[in-house]
Amino acid sequence: MKTSATPKIVAAALFLLVLLVGVPLLISATGRTDLYYTLTSVALLSIISAGVWITFYIGRINIGQGAYALMGGYVSAILVMNYGVSFWLTLPLAGLFCAAASVLIGLPILRLRGVYFAMVTLVLTEVARLLALAIPITNGAKGIVSIPLPTGISFFGITLVPDFSNLANPRLAFYIVAVLLMALCFLGLYRLAHSRIGQLCQSLQQNEELASSIGVNIAYLRVVAYALSSFLGGVGGAMFASISQSIYPSSFTVADSVNFMLNCFLGGLGYVLGPMLGTFVLYFGWDVLFQTGEYQLLIFSTVLILLMLVLPNGLLSLALPGKRSV
């Protein structure tokens, strides 16, 4: 193990310790158990936004992540409600279903670049919403409600995961699961960014023609990156459906897809942790601006534009100037 990686490992371990131990202790002391749902939402939104970051890494502006989050939520809900599949099994299945769908969708549209790709992906979320309204298995506008809480997991009589319905505070359990998923997600992104495939993906962002001329299979990399992006969207959507115990066609809209993109911009496209920081700031910043009433959207838009002008590399460029993919 390289010595230079040790401080990062220690910092990541301390950060995870604070989230898993420090935050629950603080919430317990203050009695603000409602914060569990809020912080769980932030963790899940950062996972979905991390998928958008992957597509930015290959030079594509993705504004359609809401479609895969909605798709993942419905896949999980349908498998749990209609077929009695354990939620824990539906979590990866929802991600894989979205990844498979993204391959079929991505093969033709990933040839597009810039605003053309962005326009097509923007339509995807609305298409997913209309399909959810039209297909009988999704129950139309009524959505799918009363989704049972995740059941326990046992191995040779040893309980690995308790039944959430038997817990005094299921929101704490959801929070822990969401934090662990978020940690796995960003650990995977870090390894991807520092791997050979990550370097090849970055070459696509800089110059696809040059990358192709030296033998890089750019079509394969584009599809793989888009599939990984959609997988994260599906997993995040499945978790959202479980914690809210419901899923509707309007659960993820075009506005959500835009916010997933903004999370990446705000945190910093050149930083692995950019989607996490961007999600946190955007989520709580919007709530703070709620106090301004009718001027909320005006102030929000103005602040975002100013940040993009002053900090084009995102908020993390303040603390980590000159560094990328950290």
Side-chain angles (χ1 to χ4, degrees), residues 49-97:
S49 300
V52 179
W53 184 88
I54 295 176
T55 53
F56 274 117
Y57 208 59
I58 60 169
R60 294 294 186 274
I61 302 174
N62 182 2
I63 322 179
Q65 190 73 334
Y68 297 106
L70 185 65
M71 198 182 300
Y74 268 110
V75 169
S76 175
I78 290 170
L79 289 176
V80 170
M81 294 290 288
N82 296 4
Y83 301 100
V85 181
S86 169
F87 163 75
W88 303 111
L89 184 57
T90 69
L91 201 58
L93 288 177
L96 291 173
F97 182 90

